[in-house]
Amino acid sequence: EITTIAEDEKGNIWLGAKQDGIYRIDANKKKNFSTADGATLFTLYDTVSGLPTNEFNRVFRKDDKVIFGTITGFYSFDYRKNKFYSDSAISKAIDGQNEKQIADFLQFNSNEYLVLNYSSEKGTTINQIKKIATGYESIYSKPYKRLYKSNISCFYTDSLKKLLIGTSRGLLLLDLKVK
């Protein structure tokens, strides 16, 4: 089951999968989504490639690059080594949680981001993160226990910072300006 799709700065298409790891469609092969030489269209990345697990991996765009949400936080991809590595800068800004299963990620502007994550400590938490000179800081973090039992499929925010969350139980609306 493919959960997220994003294109990187090189034109590769990345696919986050619920149970298989992460797939990449090479930029050279995606033109017709086929290969003349019979080579495989997809490259599968899993724990051998540096992912913490093969389950619940997500793919997002951040600052014109692709980042990966996992059950332990954010990861980036090293193209030279063909491996994933923990990208702890944003993960550290998610207020003091040991478990940081990333559910969704959204970039507001060039220095503000919204992260939905799950943890057994707090349930589902909505985090607003801001880029600062020394890394990232949390400017808003609030657990929503009633979201814990809902399967979150997507979210969207408008220019007024109203957050729409699509769940298995319907649509929720949150005002991020209200603390």
Side-chain angles (χ1 to χ4, degrees):
E1 178 181 341
I2 302 300
T3 58
T4 51
I5 301 172
E7 184 174 2
D8 69 16
E9 65 277 13
K10 298 175 184 251
N12 300 306
I13 303 291
W14 293 87
L15 310 168
K18 190 171 183 179
Q19 296 182 338
D20 297 334
I22 293 175
Y23 293 91
R24 182 181 74 181
I25 301 172
D26 188 282
N28 298 323
K29 296 177 184 173
K30 75 174 189 180
K31 290 179 180 78
N32 298 320
F33 285 96
S34 64
T35 59
D37 61 2
T40 182
L41 181 61
F42 298 97
T43 301
L44 173 62
Y45 296 94
D46 55 19
T47 55
V48 174
S49 308
L51 290 172
T53 180
N54 292 336
E55 297 178 325
F56 305 110
N57 293 300
R58 319 259 306 158
V59 182
F60 309 108
R61 294 276 302 168
K62 176 189 165 290
D63 301 328
D64 296 324
K65 296 187 185 229
V66 174
I67 61 170
F68 306 89
T70 72
I71 63 165
T72 62
F74 287 100
Y75 276 66
S76 291
F77 187 74
D78 184 328
Y79 290 92
R80 288 179 286 118
K81 294 179 180 175
N82 206 34
K83 286 222 173 243
F84 290 88
Y85 62 92
S86 178
D87 190 348
S88 61
I90 295 180
S91 298
K92 286 180 184 175
I94 299 173
D95 279 349
Q97 297 178 41
N98 295 324
E99 301 171 55
K100 298 174 182 166
Q101 180 179 338
I102 306 302
D104 218 334
F105 176 88
L106 184 67
Q107 186 165 352
F108 281 132
N109 54 44
S110 63
N111 69 341
E112 279 188 59
Y113 313 93
L114 198 64
V115 180
L116 257 64
N117 74 291
Y118 304 124
S119 79
S120 59
E121 298 169 34
K122 296 184 177 181
T124 300
T125 303
I126 297 172
N127 303 277
Q128 193 171 349
I129 309 294
K130 185 173 188 172
K131 190 187 311 183
I132 58 174
T134 57
Y136 298 88
E137 70 177 352
S138 175
I139 55 177
Y140 176 90
S141 182
K142 185 171 181 182
Y144 289 89
K145 293 194 186 277
R146 69 182 188 165
L147 285 177
Y148 186 68
K149 294 184 179 180
S150 297
N151 183 15
I152 297 171
S153 56
C154 58
F155 74 152
Y156 171 81
T157 187
D158 63 12
S159 60
L160 301 174
K161 294 200 176 169
K162 299 234 188 295
L163 179 66
L164 296 168
I165 304 173
T167 75
S168 58
R169 296 180 172 189
L171 185 66
L172 296 172
L173 173 65
L174 298 173
D175 188 342
L176 295 175
K177 291 193 262 178
V178 176
K179 301 290 179 186

